[in-house]
Amino acid sequence: MIYRLKRIYWQLLYRFVVKKSASNEHAKFNIHNTFIMPTKFGWSLIGVTLCLFVLGTNYQNNVILAVCYLLVSILLLAIFHNYFFFTQHEIKLESVDADFENRNLKLRGTIFSQGRYAGGELGLEYSREVFKIALSANANSPQTFQVKLPKYKRGIHKLPVIAVTATYGFGFFYCWSYIIHNKSLVVYPCIERSTAQLHNKTDKEMGSVDASSQLSTSDNLQGIRPYVNTDPIYHVSWKHVAKGQGLVTKDFVEKAGSSGWLKLSDYHHLDIERALKVICYQIQALGKSNATFGLDLGSTKILPNNGNKHLDECLYQLACYGIDTQDQKRTISDPQQS
Amino acid sequence: MMKLEKVQFTTVCYMSALTFAFILFPLMTHLMLWVIILGFCSVAVCIVRASVAMPELRNITINLFSTFCLVILLLFYQDYGLLSSMINLLVVACSLKFIMMRTAADFHLVSIVFMFLIAAGFIYNQSIFFAIYYGCAFFFVFVVTFLINKGHMTFSKSTLQTGKLLLQAVPIALLIFLVAPRLPPFWQVPKEESTQTGLSEALTPGDIANLARSADLAFRAEFFSDKPKPIERYWRAIVMDNFDGLTWSISEREKNTALLTEKNYSGARWEYLVNAEPSDSQWLYSLDVPQIAENRGEWPIFLNDNYQVFSTTVSDTRNIYLLNSYYEMPVSSERVDYSRYLQVPQSGNILTRQYIEAMNFEGLSTQQIISKIAEIFTKNPFKYTLKPPLMPVDPVDEFLFIHQRGFCSHYASAMAYMLRLAGVPSRLVTGYQGGEDQAKSIITVRQYDAHAWVEAKDRELGWIRFDPTALVAPNRMLAGLFDSLNESEKELIDESKLMRQLMELGLIKSMEDGFVMLNHNWSQMVLGYDQNSQLEIVQKLFGQANIKNLVTFLLVAFVGIAFYLVTSFLPWRKWFSTKPVSPEMILLELLQKKGFTRHKHETFSQFLNRITPQFDSSLVASLNEFEQQFYATRYSGNQDEKPLKEALNKCIKALSSKHSSSHKPTNPIVE
């Protein structure tokens, strides 16, 4: 019951945050997506102001009362200064390059400032981490920044909701807004060294795989690859198009040529994550030596090819392995600190 | 909690240390010696920690030390009183925190304590000098808090920015100060401990010597007419009628003297305003014969049949009132019973009794009797001194016939006693004599101007003032206390020697005059601002001081604050920018809003060529037309901007059309 309530609470909060967030990579802050509250220091100063009012009244001391009123007006102005300081900034986040799991990823971006306030600090908060970015003394110069992201496990992740914060001036008020990064972060498995086991198409074992492919496709299907202009239209896999995965071409056995294959099933004795790590290493090793190879992950096959694009596609498939293909692009998972 | 960067930490540490030392100085008189040492040691530690890497103290060490400090504070709690003990506690807490400051939160905490200490300082002293001093301390505290998240701003710019932010707050604070309702105290608070409480209601000769050492301000008088000469400045306060042989005091009957009924004032007068510092006495100060013109203080004041001005309430607030003194009028009253002014103790002071009994006053007028009795001071070697010997038994006898040394209260007491023995109703009056001329119309009276004299009753002339001290030390009346003292006695006065020497040289006289005027106005306008002052303002503004007008006054102030905020934060600079606004600048700004920004090195043409592939044909056509017109106008000698403006309008229309919503940069380049 408590778990359900908690879940509902977090869902409602997330919806609210999404509604009120700057919501794209180029975030502009305004009255609709900016929040402001006193900081702990601000609350303390409000307390001090009240105490001074009582002290000044009890001692009938006009000077103490004047100090109290001065603090009130400083607090009042601090709200406006902090708000205008915060909203004079725009933040453009760059998409995060795909990387391997358990590596420190960097979130890069640029802060643009167009306003009267120079200096100050902006904070980026996510996953309970706070990064302070000291801003330039020149109010109108853009400033790049990079901050560490938490370590992620293999998969396709949505970046955490980033809270941009500011406590400009004396630090009495905390102004913040949320940025939701729309692009996903692809995290490949890390590597585990091993010798490559390449299968030729003439292998008996390979033949059996081909047979199974034939069963499923009934057309000597070898695998799929991204569509290029010279491909015949009748080779387009409309099933993939319907699933929203873009134009892909079906490759048939005749076209496969004499290339080697990396097969996940070779490592069935290993834990699946470990097997993916081994394959990941092999893909990189083969890619480095510019070898032509194909990838057979069982449900997904990539025809033998070479080059960086091919390497990226193979690694991407490793990152997606085991994730529902329909939701591959949309899967949201929380980063897991390792 | 986030630690500060090294450079930031060093600057903030230095600034905090300076601020703490700055705040500690004026509080030193109220702090225990070990607390002062602890405070300054922590300042030193803070500076060293900022300069050199030092191991951090363990929490348990600090906790043990703080417990130890707390125990000592509790032990001395009763000697120092509640208020001073609380301030000592705050300083100790702040010092201990100071030793181990690391994070921004630590500096914030210390800043909060600083603000409390500044406010506590104002309990003890509210003069304008201290207000300026603590104002600087207040500014330093805010500089510290600003430095914590200043970014890449330099120290000097941060200080400047802090100053700007604080100055911006001053007008709002002033408005709130003017309109905020003045409430009565919520509860009784511990009073500041003080040994200088003004004039005492009982006088044992020697008592005023303590007061004479204090250079504290008693009151200031601002004259709107001519000022009285120094010898005429007898500021009357307390009338004592009861003498028990040792001490003069006020009898219950005298205390309950009836209020003055209708009186016909006439003749020349002095008009002046008295701004009296808070004291423990209800009696206020006036020159003879006073008439209350206006009361500007918080509590009501009255005038009794003895021509004493008094307040019914003794409080920590100052009394400000306007008086007219008719100096040509006699101090007389309608009363007929003067028997209590002849009261003398049945025993004691035998030598004086015999001396008076031996004299023959038959047929002499009151003034002649006074003169005859006063001969004792002129014919014998009496001396005016602040260091008289102790006279615990029969003080009048000892003073008149043995020591013959004393100050005003000795002379006044002996004279009043002798007059009573001679059958002349007399009483002892205490108050202040003289005062320093400052800033043209102001007389500053300090505690060391406290004085005692005698009033004797004459049937026709009323009460005649007689000052026996003047016979022995005429300089005391003519030039003030300092000129009647020798060098060793001057040391008794609690005033800076350097200041006095500078004053004698006249170097800072004019500066001091300006300062006195400022302080006087500060006392009246700020320290003396109360509910009555508010009502006066309302009355001046709206004609009548009623609830409706008070509420209007409040509302006007709030509207004023709102207006001030609006005017402060509107983009005036942008609106009234002196930059010439050309059509091309407008277009560039519009495109920038859409996310297309021109590189610094790009020409206008290059910029348009770069971005046009992302637009639809209508917008591209408009932009091309604009480009042509731009080059034609700016570089072909065509001065007419009309075609350029028309092209701009087309571009604006194309940009704001339905399709323009799709004009999103695929790869916006922003400088």
Side-chain angles (χ1 to χ4, degrees), chain B residues 587 591 596 604-629 647-657 659-660 662-664:
Chain B
L587 182 67
L591 288 169
F596 304 96
F604 192 65
S605 173
Q606 283 169 338
F607 170 57
L608 291 181
N609 286 339
R610 176 165 63 80
I611 61 170
T612 42
Q614 298 168 48
F615 297 144
D616 58 28
S617 55
S618 64
L619 182 57
V620 172
S622 308
L623 286 173
N624 287 338
E625 189 188 337
F626 186 88
E627 187 186 350
Q628 281 173 11
Q629 291 300 337
L648 174 70
N649 286 336
K650 283 180 190 170
C651 290
I652 294 171
K653 273 181 194 168
L655 273 168
S656 57
S657 67
H659 305 290
S660 68
S662 62
H663 296 144
K664 296 279 183 192

Short mmCIF file of all heavy atoms in Angstrom, two decimals, chain B residues 587 591 596 604-629 647-657 659-660 662-664:
data_model
loop_
_atom_site.label_atom_id
_atom_site.label_comp_id
_atom_site.label_asym_id
_atom_site.label_seq_id
_atom_site.Cartn_x
_atom_site.Cartn_y
_atom_site.Cartn_z
N LEU B 587 16.09 42.89 -37.78
CA LEU B 587 15.99 41.56 -38.41
C LEU B 587 16.91 40.56 -37.70
O LEU B 587 16.50 39.42 -37.41
CB LEU B 587 16.35 41.66 -39.89
CG LEU B 587 16.22 40.35 -40.65
CD1 LEU B 587 14.77 39.91 -40.74
CD2 LEU B 587 16.80 40.45 -42.05
N LEU B 591 15.78 37.14 -35.89
CA LEU B 591 16.34 35.82 -36.24
C LEU B 591 17.00 35.17 -35.03
O LEU B 591 16.92 33.95 -34.84
CB LEU B 591 17.33 35.96 -37.39
CG LEU B 591 16.70 36.27 -38.75
CD1 LEU B 591 17.76 36.66 -39.77
CD2 LEU B 591 15.93 35.05 -39.27
N PHE B 596 18.67 31.74 -34.64
CA PHE B 596 19.73 31.87 -35.65
C PHE B 596 20.58 33.09 -35.31
O PHE B 596 20.10 34.22 -35.44
CB PHE B 596 19.12 32.04 -37.06
CG PHE B 596 18.19 30.91 -37.43
CD1 PHE B 596 16.81 31.03 -37.24
CD2 PHE B 596 18.68 29.73 -37.95
CE1 PHE B 596 15.96 30.01 -37.55
CE2 PHE B 596 17.82 28.70 -38.28
CZ PHE B 596 16.45 28.82 -38.07
N PHE B 604 26.82 39.85 -43.53
CA PHE B 604 25.37 39.70 -43.53
C PHE B 604 24.94 38.68 -44.59
O PHE B 604 24.09 37.81 -44.35
CB PHE B 604 24.75 41.07 -43.81
CG PHE B 604 23.28 41.13 -43.55
CD1 PHE B 604 22.79 40.96 -42.26
CD2 PHE B 604 22.38 41.31 -44.58
CE1 PHE B 604 21.44 40.99 -42.02
CE2 PHE B 604 21.03 41.34 -44.33
CZ PHE B 604 20.56 41.18 -43.05
N SER B 605 25.60 38.79 -45.73
CA SER B 605 25.26 37.90 -46.85
C SER B 605 25.59 36.45 -46.50
O SER B 605 24.78 35.54 -46.74
CB SER B 605 26.04 38.36 -48.08
OG SER B 605 25.87 37.45 -49.10
N GLN B 606 26.79 36.24 -45.93
CA GLN B 606 27.20 34.87 -45.56
C GLN B 606 26.22 34.26 -44.55
O GLN B 606 25.86 33.09 -44.62
CB GLN B 606 28.61 34.89 -44.96
CG GLN B 606 29.70 35.03 -45.99
CD GLN B 606 31.04 35.31 -45.34
OE1 GLN B 606 31.12 35.79 -44.21
NE2 GLN B 606 32.10 35.03 -46.07
N PHE B 607 25.81 35.10 -43.63
CA PHE B 607 24.88 34.64 -42.59
C PHE B 607 23.56 34.17 -43.21
O PHE B 607 23.06 33.08 -42.93
CB PHE B 607 24.66 35.77 -41.58
CG PHE B 607 23.56 35.52 -40.59
CD1 PHE B 607 23.58 34.40 -39.77
CD2 PHE B 607 22.49 36.41 -40.47
CE1 PHE B 607 22.56 34.18 -38.85
CE2 PHE B 607 21.47 36.18 -39.56
CZ PHE B 607 21.52 35.06 -38.76
N LEU B 608 23.02 35.01 -44.12
CA LEU B 608 21.74 34.65 -44.75
C LEU B 608 21.89 33.38 -45.60
O LEU B 608 21.02 32.52 -45.58
CB LEU B 608 21.19 35.81 -45.59
CG LEU B 608 20.71 37.03 -44.79
CD1 LEU B 608 20.16 38.08 -45.74
CD2 LEU B 608 19.64 36.65 -43.77
N ASN B 609 23.02 33.29 -46.30
CA ASN B 609 23.25 32.10 -47.12
C ASN B 609 23.29 30.83 -46.27
O ASN B 609 22.85 29.76 -46.69
CB ASN B 609 24.56 32.22 -47.90
CG ASN B 609 24.41 33.21 -49.05
OD1 ASN B 609 23.28 33.48 -49.49
ND2 ASN B 609 25.50 33.76 -49.52
N ARG B 610 23.84 30.98 -45.10
CA ARG B 610 23.96 29.81 -44.22
C ARG B 610 22.60 29.34 -43.70
O ARG B 610 22.34 28.15 -43.58
CB ARG B 610 24.88 30.15 -43.05
CG ARG B 610 25.01 29.04 -42.01
CD ARG B 610 26.18 29.26 -41.09
NE ARG B 610 26.06 30.48 -40.29
CZ ARG B 610 25.32 30.58 -39.18
NH1 ARG B 610 24.62 29.56 -38.77
NH2 ARG B 610 25.28 31.72 -38.51
N ILE B 611 21.74 30.32 -43.40
CA ILE B 611 20.50 29.91 -42.73
C ILE B 611 19.33 29.67 -43.68
O ILE B 611 18.40 28.95 -43.34
CB ILE B 611 20.09 30.91 -41.63
CG1 ILE B 611 19.84 32.31 -42.23
CG2 ILE B 611 21.13 30.99 -40.53
CD1 ILE B 611 19.20 33.27 -41.24
N THR B 612 19.36 30.28 -44.88
CA THR B 612 18.19 30.18 -45.76
C THR B 612 17.82 28.75 -46.18
O THR B 612 16.63 28.50 -46.40
CB THR B 612 18.33 31.08 -47.02
OG1 THR B 612 19.66 30.95 -47.50
CG2 THR B 612 18.00 32.52 -46.74
N PRO B 613 18.76 27.80 -46.33
CA PRO B 613 18.32 26.45 -46.70
C PRO B 613 17.29 25.86 -45.75
O PRO B 613 16.57 24.91 -46.10
CB PRO B 613 19.62 25.64 -46.68
CG PRO B 613 20.70 26.62 -46.87
CD PRO B 613 20.23 27.88 -46.27
N GLN B 614 17.21 26.39 -44.55
CA GLN B 614 16.27 25.83 -43.57
C GLN B 614 14.89 26.48 -43.63
O GLN B 614 14.00 26.12 -42.87
CB GLN B 614 16.85 26.00 -42.16
CG GLN B 614 18.16 25.27 -41.99
CD GLN B 614 18.86 25.67 -40.71
OE1 GLN B 614 18.24 25.70 -39.67
NE2 GLN B 614 20.15 25.95 -40.81
N PHE B 615 14.73 27.49 -44.51
CA PHE B 615 13.46 28.22 -44.56
C PHE B 615 12.65 27.84 -45.80
O PHE B 615 13.19 27.34 -46.78
CB PHE B 615 13.72 29.73 -44.58
CG PHE B 615 14.39 30.24 -43.35
CD1 PHE B 615 15.32 31.27 -43.42
CD2 PHE B 615 14.11 29.70 -42.11
CE1 PHE B 615 15.94 31.73 -42.28
CE2 PHE B 615 14.73 30.16 -40.96
CZ PHE B 615 15.65 31.18 -41.05
N ASP B 616 11.35 28.19 -45.73
CA ASP B 616 10.52 27.95 -46.91
C ASP B 616 10.73 29.08 -47.94
O ASP B 616 11.34 30.11 -47.64
CB ASP B 616 9.04 27.79 -46.52
CG ASP B 616 8.50 29.00 -45.79
OD1 ASP B 616 9.02 30.09 -46.04
OD2 ASP B 616 7.59 28.85 -44.98
N SER B 617 10.19 28.87 -49.11
CA SER B 617 10.52 29.75 -50.24
C SER B 617 10.09 31.20 -50.01
O SER B 617 10.80 32.13 -50.37
CB SER B 617 9.88 29.20 -51.51
OG SER B 617 8.50 29.04 -51.28
N SER B 618 8.91 31.39 -49.36
CA SER B 618 8.42 32.77 -49.19
C SER B 618 9.37 33.57 -48.30
O SER B 618 9.68 34.73 -48.58
CB SER B 618 7.00 32.76 -48.62
OG SER B 618 7.04 32.20 -47.32
N LEU B 619 9.83 32.94 -47.24
CA LEU B 619 10.73 33.63 -46.33
C LEU B 619 12.09 33.87 -46.99
O LEU B 619 12.70 34.95 -46.83
CB LEU B 619 10.90 32.81 -45.03
CG LEU B 619 11.78 33.44 -43.96
CD1 LEU B 619 11.28 34.82 -43.55
CD2 LEU B 619 11.84 32.55 -42.72
N VAL B 620 12.52 32.88 -47.76
CA VAL B 620 13.81 33.02 -48.45
C VAL B 620 13.74 34.21 -49.40
O VAL B 620 14.66 35.04 -49.48
CB VAL B 620 14.16 31.72 -49.21
CG1 VAL B 620 15.39 31.92 -50.09
CG2 VAL B 620 14.40 30.59 -48.21
N ALA B 621 12.59 34.33 -50.12
CA ALA B 621 12.43 35.43 -51.06
C ALA B 621 12.48 36.77 -50.33
O ALA B 621 13.15 37.71 -50.78
CB ALA B 621 11.09 35.27 -51.80
N SER B 622 11.79 36.84 -49.20
CA SER B 622 11.77 38.09 -48.42
C SER B 622 13.18 38.44 -47.94
O SER B 622 13.59 39.60 -47.99
CB SER B 622 10.86 37.95 -47.20
OG SER B 622 9.62 37.49 -47.58
N LEU B 623 13.89 37.41 -47.49
CA LEU B 623 15.23 37.66 -46.97
C LEU B 623 16.17 38.10 -48.09
O LEU B 623 17.01 38.99 -47.88
CB LEU B 623 15.78 36.40 -46.29
CG LEU B 623 15.18 36.06 -44.92
CD1 LEU B 623 15.67 34.70 -44.44
CD2 LEU B 623 15.51 37.12 -43.88
N ASN B 624 16.02 37.48 -49.24
CA ASN B 624 16.86 37.88 -50.38
C ASN B 624 16.61 39.32 -50.77
O ASN B 624 17.53 40.07 -51.07
CB ASN B 624 16.62 36.95 -51.57
CG ASN B 624 17.25 35.59 -51.33
OD1 ASN B 624 18.16 35.46 -50.51
ND2 ASN B 624 16.76 34.56 -52.00
N GLU B 625 15.32 39.70 -50.75
CA GLU B 625 14.98 41.07 -51.09
C GLU B 625 15.60 42.04 -50.08
O GLU B 625 16.15 43.07 -50.44
CB GLU B 625 13.45 41.23 -51.11
CG GLU B 625 13.03 42.58 -51.67
CD GLU B 625 11.54 42.84 -51.52
OE1 GLU B 625 10.78 41.86 -51.40
OE2 GLU B 625 11.16 44.02 -51.50
N PHE B 626 15.50 41.63 -48.83
CA PHE B 626 16.08 42.47 -47.77
C PHE B 626 17.59 42.61 -47.98
O PHE B 626 18.14 43.70 -47.84
CB PHE B 626 15.79 41.85 -46.39
CG PHE B 626 16.24 42.74 -45.26
CD1 PHE B 626 15.40 43.71 -44.75
CD2 PHE B 626 17.51 42.61 -44.72
CE1 PHE B 626 15.81 44.55 -43.72
CE2 PHE B 626 17.93 43.44 -43.70
CZ PHE B 626 17.08 44.41 -43.20
N GLU B 627 18.22 41.52 -48.34
CA GLU B 627 19.67 41.52 -48.53
C GLU B 627 20.06 42.52 -49.64
O GLU B 627 20.97 43.32 -49.48
CB GLU B 627 20.12 40.11 -48.89
CG GLU B 627 21.63 39.96 -48.94
CD GLU B 627 22.06 38.59 -49.43
OE1 GLU B 627 21.18 37.70 -49.54
OE2 GLU B 627 23.25 38.42 -49.70
N GLN B 628 19.30 42.44 -50.72
CA GLN B 628 19.56 43.35 -51.84
C GLN B 628 19.41 44.81 -51.42
O GLN B 628 20.27 45.65 -51.68
CB GLN B 628 18.59 43.06 -52.99
CG GLN B 628 18.99 41.85 -53.81
CD GLN B 628 17.92 41.51 -54.83
OE1 GLN B 628 16.99 42.28 -55.07
NE2 GLN B 628 18.04 40.34 -55.44
N GLN B 629 18.31 45.08 -50.72
CA GLN B 629 18.04 46.45 -50.28
C GLN B 629 19.09 46.91 -49.28
O GLN B 629 19.48 48.08 -49.27
CB GLN B 629 16.64 46.54 -49.64
CG GLN B 629 15.49 46.36 -50.61
CD GLN B 629 15.50 47.41 -51.70
OE1 GLN B 629 16.06 48.50 -51.56
NE2 GLN B 629 14.90 47.08 -52.85
N ALA B 647 11.15 45.99 -47.00
CA ALA B 647 11.65 44.61 -47.07
C ALA B 647 11.65 43.96 -45.70
O ALA B 647 11.35 42.77 -45.55
CB ALA B 647 13.07 44.61 -47.66
N LEU B 648 11.98 44.78 -44.70
CA LEU B 648 11.97 44.26 -43.32
C LEU B 648 10.57 43.82 -42.92
O LEU B 648 10.38 42.75 -42.32
CB LEU B 648 12.49 45.33 -42.36
CG LEU B 648 12.40 44.98 -40.87
CD1 LEU B 648 13.41 43.90 -40.52
CD2 LEU B 648 12.62 46.19 -39.98
N ASN B 649 9.58 44.67 -43.25
CA ASN B 649 8.19 44.32 -42.92
C ASN B 649 7.78 42.99 -43.55
O ASN B 649 7.10 42.18 -42.91
CB ASN B 649 7.24 45.43 -43.38
CG ASN B 649 7.34 46.64 -42.48
OD1 ASN B 649 7.76 46.50 -41.32
ND2 ASN B 649 7.00 47.79 -42.98
N LYS B 650 8.22 42.78 -44.81
CA LYS B 650 7.90 41.52 -45.49
C LYS B 650 8.53 40.34 -44.73
O LYS B 650 7.90 39.30 -44.54
CB LYS B 650 8.42 41.54 -46.94
CG LYS B 650 7.55 42.35 -47.87
CD LYS B 650 8.12 42.32 -49.28
CE LYS B 650 7.39 43.31 -50.16
NZ LYS B 650 8.05 43.49 -51.45
N CYS B 651 9.77 40.54 -44.33
CA CYS B 651 10.46 39.48 -43.58
C CYS B 651 9.73 39.17 -42.28
O CYS B 651 9.56 38.01 -41.89
CB CYS B 651 11.90 39.89 -43.26
SG CYS B 651 12.94 39.95 -44.70
N ILE B 652 9.31 40.25 -41.59
CA ILE B 652 8.61 40.06 -40.31
C ILE B 652 7.33 39.26 -40.53
O ILE B 652 7.02 38.34 -39.78
CB ILE B 652 8.31 41.42 -39.62
CG1 ILE B 652 9.63 42.09 -39.22
CG2 ILE B 652 7.41 41.25 -38.41
CD1 ILE B 652 9.50 43.51 -38.75
N LYS B 653 6.59 39.64 -41.63
CA LYS B 653 5.34 38.94 -41.93
C LYS B 653 5.62 37.47 -42.20
O LYS B 653 4.94 36.57 -41.71
CB LYS B 653 4.66 39.58 -43.14
CG LYS B 653 3.75 40.74 -42.76
CD LYS B 653 3.09 41.31 -44.00
CE LYS B 653 2.47 42.66 -43.66
NZ LYS B 653 2.08 43.38 -44.86
N ALA B 654 6.65 37.23 -43.02
CA ALA B 654 6.98 35.84 -43.38
C ALA B 654 7.41 35.05 -42.15
O ALA B 654 7.06 33.87 -41.99
CB ALA B 654 8.09 35.84 -44.42
N LEU B 655 8.15 35.73 -41.27
CA LEU B 655 8.62 35.03 -40.05
C LEU B 655 7.48 34.71 -39.11
O LEU B 655 7.49 33.69 -38.42
CB LEU B 655 9.65 35.90 -39.32
CG LEU B 655 11.10 35.76 -39.77
CD1 LEU B 655 11.95 36.87 -39.19
CD2 LEU B 655 11.67 34.42 -39.33
N SER B 656 6.49 35.62 -39.06
CA SER B 656 5.40 35.39 -38.11
C SER B 656 4.23 34.63 -38.73
O SER B 656 3.20 34.43 -38.08
CB SER B 656 4.91 36.75 -37.57
OG SER B 656 4.52 37.55 -38.65
N SER B 657 4.36 34.24 -40.02
CA SER B 657 3.27 33.47 -40.64
C SER B 657 3.19 32.09 -40.01
O SER B 657 4.08 31.65 -39.29
CB SER B 657 3.52 33.35 -42.14
OG SER B 657 4.65 32.55 -42.34
N HIS B 659 3.61 29.19 -41.14
CA HIS B 659 4.68 28.24 -41.46
C HIS B 659 5.95 28.52 -40.69
O HIS B 659 6.79 27.67 -40.54
CB HIS B 659 4.97 28.27 -42.96
CG HIS B 659 3.72 28.01 -43.75
ND1 HIS B 659 3.13 26.77 -43.77
CD2 HIS B 659 2.95 28.84 -44.50
CE1 HIS B 659 2.03 26.85 -44.53
NE2 HIS B 659 1.90 28.08 -44.97
N SER B 660 6.05 29.78 -40.23
CA SER B 660 7.31 30.13 -39.60
C SER B 660 7.54 29.35 -38.31
O SER B 660 8.63 29.29 -37.80
CB SER B 660 7.36 31.61 -39.30
OG SER B 660 6.43 31.91 -38.30
N SER B 662 7.68 26.41 -38.09
CA SER B 662 8.55 25.28 -38.38
C SER B 662 9.99 25.73 -38.58
O SER B 662 10.87 24.91 -38.83
CB SER B 662 8.06 24.56 -39.63
OG SER B 662 8.12 25.47 -40.72
N HIS B 663 10.22 27.06 -38.49
CA HIS B 663 11.58 27.54 -38.69
C HIS B 663 12.40 27.33 -37.44
O HIS B 663 12.63 28.23 -36.65
CB HIS B 663 11.57 29.03 -39.03
CG HIS B 663 10.89 29.31 -40.31
ND1 HIS B 663 10.14 30.43 -40.52
CD2 HIS B 663 10.81 28.61 -41.46
CE1 HIS B 663 9.64 30.41 -41.74
NE2 HIS B 663 10.03 29.31 -42.32
N LYS B 664 12.77 26.12 -37.27
CA LYS B 664 13.63 25.82 -36.11
C LYS B 664 15.02 25.53 -36.65
O LYS B 664 15.17 24.84 -37.65
CB LYS B 664 13.11 24.58 -35.37
CG LYS B 664 11.75 24.77 -34.77
CD LYS B 664 11.83 25.49 -33.47
CE LYS B 664 10.44 25.61 -32.86
NZ LYS B 664 10.36 26.51 -31.76
#
